[in-house]
Every structure is written in C-alpha cells, then in structure tokens.
Amino acid sequence: MEYFIADLHFFHEQLLQSEHFSPRPYDDLQDEHQGLQQAWNARVTENDTVYHLGDLAFLNKIKPAKKGYQALYELLLSLNGQIVLIKGNHDTRDLFKFLQNQHSTLSDGRPKFKFHDVGMIVKANHHQFFLTHYPLILGPTASSVNLHGHIHHSQVAIAENINVGIDSSDLEYLNSDERPTWGTPLNLSEIEMILERKRHQLSE
C-alpha cells in the first residue's frame, strides 16, 4: 500500500500552540512524537511505502546538527514501512545525506529511506499524482493531481491541489467518522474522496 503525508515537523515545539498554524493536539513534543508514531504504525505496515512531502523536522535548535539528525533518525526507525522523502523548506540536504549514509534497510531488502529534492510522480487510479512540497499549479487537467504540503491549515482553491499535511484544512472534506486519527498518513481512497468532494464544492 501507498500512503501520503506532509509537514510532520518533528521537534518543532513552537507549532504545538502556534497562533499562525492550526494548533496541534498535544502539549509537549514527547507526547506529540508518541502520538504520531502510534497513528502512523496503526495503519502502515513494514511492506508499505509512505511518501512524506516535505518539512519532516525542525532541528535548528539542536546543536550540534548531527545530534538532531541522530535523534530524528532513531525516531524514524520506529515508523513502519519505507519512507520516501521529498525535500521541504525546513529539510536540508545535509539531513538527507546523513539518513542516506546510515544504509538502513527493511526486512525485504528495500532501503528504509528514498530521497527527492523537488518532487516525483506516482501513477495510480488513472491519475498522475505530482508529489511536491510547495503547491504546484497545473492548470486545467482531467487526470493530474498535485499532492503537496507547506501551507498547513490553508488550501489552494483548486480541486486538483490537495494538501496532505497533517493539519490541512482539506482533511475537512472527510466526515468525522471517515477521517483517520490526527497524524495518520492518507491512503489513495481517502485522497480520491477529498478530490471528488472538493471538485463538487468548487463547482457550485
């Protein structure tokens, strides 16, 4: 199975009660990290792939830098599946190089981490999903969809731009009984549901 998520912002304490972003449902980083780990692993298995669309962590306050990289690496090892990382504005190439140099592999021999600086395309369900951190304006399209993060609680008023960030307002297109636990990576069925309902709302 393939899953999609963005803007985890591990170690970013200021986001917990930020006035500029949607408040997160935790009071401290330890509880948030534990909650994100539980939400992730309740859905994702070792055989699955999760695409993380940028802003994995905020490590600026941890010195030296490698101490922060090591702490994040240990946290990521607790998350099931292969993680495909697309670079966000808070991610650095040094971090990606550090993770790559650990040479971590899954039990089936796949690398634990894969990396993309700008973005990539995943084809599924008769769609081309353009995976980026920043919203990508594609113009009129019948089969292409941009999955992105970056703008947190905001949304692009185009149906084919879907914000898969953990505090995205696009998640509100899912009813409360359909919406997974906060911090859970989205599956393709949920993304298709968001797409259909966003198209319907914006066409009214």
Side-chain angles (χ1 to χ4, degrees):
M1 292 281 289
E2 295 177 313
Y3 298 98
F4 306 84
I5 195 167
D7 296 308
L8 287 178
H9 280 260
F10 285 123
F11 298 97
H12 199 168
E13 191 169 14
Q14 296 94 320
L15 280 190
L16 294 179
Q17 298 298 326
S18 172
E19 296 179 1
H20 302 289
F21 300 100
S22 298
R24 298 189 166 205
Y26 294 98
D27 294 325
D28 61 65
L29 287 178
Q30 183 176 351
D31 287 346
E32 183 192 42
H33 291 175
Q34 184 177 12
L36 287 170
Q37 178 196 44
Q38 290 173 348
W40 181 296
N41 289 341
R43 167 165 283 190
V44 179
T45 73
E46 277 300 295
N47 297 320
D48 295 329
T49 297
V50 181
Y51 298 90
H52 184 275
L53 309 188
D55 285 4
L56 181 63
F58 186 80
L59 302 172
N60 296 25
K61 292 191 174 183
I62 303 178
K63 305 295 181 185
K66 284 191 177 180
K67 180 180 178 182
Y69 297 167
Q70 182 66 35
L72 177 62
Y73 171 66
E74 292 171 6
L75 198 162
L76 294 177
L77 287 182
S78 73
L79 304 179
N80 290 339
Q82 183 182 62
I83 307 175
V84 180
L85 296 167
I86 291 171
K87 188 176 179 296
N89 55 295
H90 287 298
D91 304 316
T92 66
R93 289 186 178 88
D94 282 347
L95 168 62
F96 281 12
K97 287 178 183 177
F98 178 89
L99 295 176
Q100 190 170 31
N101 288 339
Q102 306 313 304
H103 303 292
S104 300
T105 57
L106 301 172
S107 58
D108 61 5
R110 291 182 300 157
K112 175 69 175 178
F113 308 109
K114 296 181 73 175
F115 308 91
H116 294 270
D117 262 4
V118 178
M120 62 178 297
I121 296 174
V122 170
K123 295 182 178 181
N125 296 358
H126 308 290
H127 285 113
Q128 285 193 113
F129 292 99
F130 287 75
L131 311 184
T132 60
H133 178 60
Y134 305 99
L136 179 67
I137 307 303
L138 297 171
T141 172
S143 61
S144 296
V145 179
N146 175 217
L147 305 183
H148 64 86
H150 184 61
I151 56 176
H152 291 263
H153 61 286
S154 302
Q155 69 168 220
V156 178
I158 299 172
E160 290 74 24
N161 288 80
I162 297 177
N163 181 358
V164 298
I166 59 174
D167 44 13
S168 164
S169 60
D170 280 340
L171 296 174
E172 295 172 10
Y173 287 105
L174 300 174
N175 297 327
S176 58
D177 60 334
E178 300 168 332
R179 201 176 305 159
T181 302
W182 185 85
T184 301
L186 296 176
N187 61 36
L188 283 170
S189 295
E190 289 158 346
I191 288 170
E192 294 280 2
M193 198 177 300
I194 292 170
L195 176 63
E196 179 182 352
R197 292 174 183 174
K198 193 172 181 181
R199 278 176 172 164
H200 177 74
Q201 184 192 66
L202 294 177
S203 67
E204 291 180 338

